[in-house]
Amino acid sequence: MCATEGLFLSVMSFDRFLAICRPLHYPTIMTHHLCAWLVVFCWAGGFLWLLTPLTLISQVPFCGPNTIDHFLCDLAPLLALSCSSVSGITLICGIISSLIIFLTFLYILGTYFCVLSVVLQVPPGSGRHKAFSTCASHLAVVCLFYGSVMVMYVSPGSGDYPGMQKFVTLFYALATPFFNPLIYNFRNKDMKEALKKILNLLLWEISKGFKS
C-alpha cells in the first residue's frame, strides 16, 4: 500500500507538471484512457514491486511464537520472529523499500523543479499565485507521507525503537489518509464553510460546558 501511494503521488506530480508546464497539450495527453492506465499501473506496480521481499520472507523458517510486537504485520517485527539469521533478507528488503521510496520521491522533486522554473518565469500576479496554490495541497501530502515513511523504513536504527515504529506506522497508516481529504479540499468553499460550522459548534459546546 505504501508503494502504491508513492506511485500515485508521482502520477499526481506528473499531472501538475503537465497542467503548469504543458497547459496547451494537457487535454490531449491526460486523457481518460491514460488516467485509467496510470491507475492500473500504480496499483499493479505497488504490489508487483514487493514480490521479491514476499518470496524471500516465505522461505524464512518460523519456529517460535506467532505473536508480533506490532498492530499490523510489518516487515521488521515479522522477521524478528524468525529462528534463523535474516540479516541478508533484511538488507535486500531494505534496499527494495528504499528504492521505491527514493525513486518516486526524486521523480516528484524533479517534476516540481521543472514546475518551479516555469512558475518563476511568470510575471508576479494571479497566474503565479494560482500555480502555487495548485501544487500546495499535493506538496503538503508528499511531505506528510514521505517524512513518516523515511523515518520508518530508511533512517538507520529505526528498528531499534519498537514504540517509535508503532507511532510512525500509526501516523502514516491513519493520520496521513485522514488529513488527505482535508488538505486536498481546503480551497473548496463548501469545505471551508463546513469546517467553520464544526469549529463554531465545538467552541459553543466547550463554552457551554464551562458555564455549566
Side-chain angles (χ1 to χ4, degrees):
M1 297 299 290
C2 284
T4 300
E5 184 162 359
L7 291 173
F8 269 118
L9 290 173
S10 301
V11 167
M12 292 172 70
S13 70
F14 172 67
D15 177 76
R16 301 302 193 276
F17 167 78
L18 284 180
I20 294 173
C21 300
R22 303 287 187 273
L24 298 179
H25 298 91
Y26 184 88
T28 57
I29 297 175
M30 192 57 72
T31 60
H32 291 294
H33 182 72
L34 179 61
C35 287
W37 274 109
L38 288 174
V39 170
V40 172
F41 165 75
C42 290
W43 280 110
F47 284 96
L48 291 174
W49 187 271
L50 298 175
L51 276 180
T52 301
L54 183 63
T55 305
L56 293 173
I57 292 169
S58 66
Q59 298 172 0
V60 174
F62 295 98
C63 50
N66 62 354
T67 305
I68 66 171
D69 184 21
H70 215 294
F71 55 84
L72 55 84
C73 192
D74 208 0
L75 179 65
L78 178 64
L79 291 177
L81 300 180
S82 172
C83 53
S84 64
S85 176
V86 290
S87 56
I89 294 176
T90 303
L91 178 62
I92 293 172
C93 293
I95 291 172
I96 292 173
S97 299
S98 299
L99 275 175
I100 188 66
I101 291 170
F102 280 112
L103 285 177
T104 53
F105 185 63
L106 289 174
Y107 178 80
I108 293 169
L109 287 182
T111 54
Y112 273 109
F113 177 79
C114 296
V115 167
L116 185 63
S117 63
V118 170
V119 170
L120 291 178
Q121 295 175 11
V122 176
S126 59
R128 182 180 291 186
H129 175 75
K130 185 178 180 180
F132 279 123
S133 63
T134 301
C135 302
S137 57
H138 181 249
L139 281 173
V141 173
V142 167
C143 292
L144 276 175
F145 176 73
Y146 280 98
S148 56
V149 168
M150 284 183 180
V151 168
M152 182 68 188
Y153 294 108
V154 180
S155 61
S158 60
D160 300 333
Y161 304 97
M164 179 61 70
Q165 272 192 337
K166 293 175 187 176
F167 174 77
V168 176
T169 304
L170 185 69
F171 184 82
Y172 80 73
L174 294 180
T176 304
F178 174 78
F179 285 117
N180 279 358
L182 299 177
I183 294 171
Y184 284 127
N185 291 291
F186 191 71
R187 291 185 301 145
N188 188 298
K189 292 182 179 179
D190 294 334
M191 187 72 173
K192 289 181 179 179
E193 291 298 323
L195 285 174
K196 285 180 182 178
K197 289 180 181 179
I198 292 171
L199 289 174
N200 289 333
L201 182 62
L202 286 174
L203 291 173
W204 182 77
E205 290 289 343
I206 292 170
S207 63
K208 184 180 176 181
F210 281 126
K211 289 177 181 178
S212 60

